[in-house]
Amino acid sequence: MPGGSSAFASLDRMDELYRDQILEHYKRPHNFGLIESPDLEFEDTNPFCGDEQHVTIRLDESDRVAAIAFEGKGCAISTAATSLLTDELVGMSREELLRLPKDFVLELLGIDISATRMKCAMLGLKIVKSASLGQPADWEDEGKAGSPAEAAADLGRI
């Protein structure tokens, strides 16, 4: 079918663009660092793989995000997801942060995330919500434990 192969080529190209974007955010994350004297902050780890992140947030006089930064160490998925997420949060209220669904982050990433990498992808959202609450956010168990070999294989697909 003449039209079918170009549709698959377009999908392959889109996947490649998203993978390039993830690698770029991993290598040069946006909003990386700390904000001095933040109004909100939180840190957490992903016990399955050891990713660690710390977020700091400054609010404006309307209680909306004026500035946000994060630091930590982790895999390409967790770093890129948090980098992409922080790009979107300036101007949001604490209530809006708390209502963000996991699909918001998954759409920013633009690729399918395996069950073993879901906690990696959601770490940034979890710490942003926890910072907004001032305590650990109730968090449904997303994903499952994986091995370092699986994580390396996922990175190979990126």
Side-chain angles (χ1 to χ4, degrees):
M1 288 175 57
S5 62
S6 66
F8 285 122
S10 293
L11 288 175
D12 287 344
R13 181 68 184 131
M14 288 302 294
D15 281 352
E16 186 179 322
L17 289 173
Y18 280 116
R19 285 180 174 84
D20 289 347
Q21 173 181 272
I22 289 169
L23 285 175
E24 183 62 27
H25 278 268
Y26 172 62
K27 292 176 186 174
R28 290 178 267 296
H30 298 181
N31 308 303
F32 196 80
L34 289 176
I35 294 173
E36 291 199 27
S37 303
D39 297 301
L40 307 172
E41 72 179 300
F42 200 82
E43 63 184 46
D44 204 352
T45 62
N46 176 352
F48 291 151
C49 66
D51 293 348
E52 300 174 356
Q53 290 185 355
H54 179 201
V55 68
T56 51
I57 301 170
R58 184 177 314 115
L59 301 173
D60 65 16
E61 62 281 346
S62 301
D63 213 27
R64 294 185 170 276
V65 176
I68 185 167
F70 79 101
E71 67 174 6
K73 63 183 179 84
C75 68
I77 295 293
S78 69
T79 301
T82 304
S83 177
L84 287 159
L85 177 65
T86 59
D87 280 347
E88 302 295 322
L89 302 182
V90 172
M92 288 189 181
S93 68
R94 290 170 76 171
E95 293 76 25
E96 289 170 319
L97 296 177
L98 291 170
R99 286 193 306 261
L100 286 172
K102 72 176 188 175
D103 288 342
F104 184 79
V105 175
L106 296 176
E107 287 175 17
L108 291 172
L109 286 169
I111 62 168
D112 288 332
I113 301 295
S114 68
T116 57
R117 301 312 303 263
M118 191 60 71
K119 281 192 179 287
C120 299
M122 294 299 125
L123 181 59
L125 182 61
K126 180 182 178 187
I127 61 173
V128 164
K129 287 184 176 203
S130 297
S132 298
L133 288 169
Q135 64 185 24
D138 285 336
W139 201 255
E140 59 188 63
D141 187 10
E142 298 286 348
K144 59 182 182 179
S147 72
E150 286 177 295
D154 280 351
L155 283 175
R157 287 187 287 215
I158 292 179

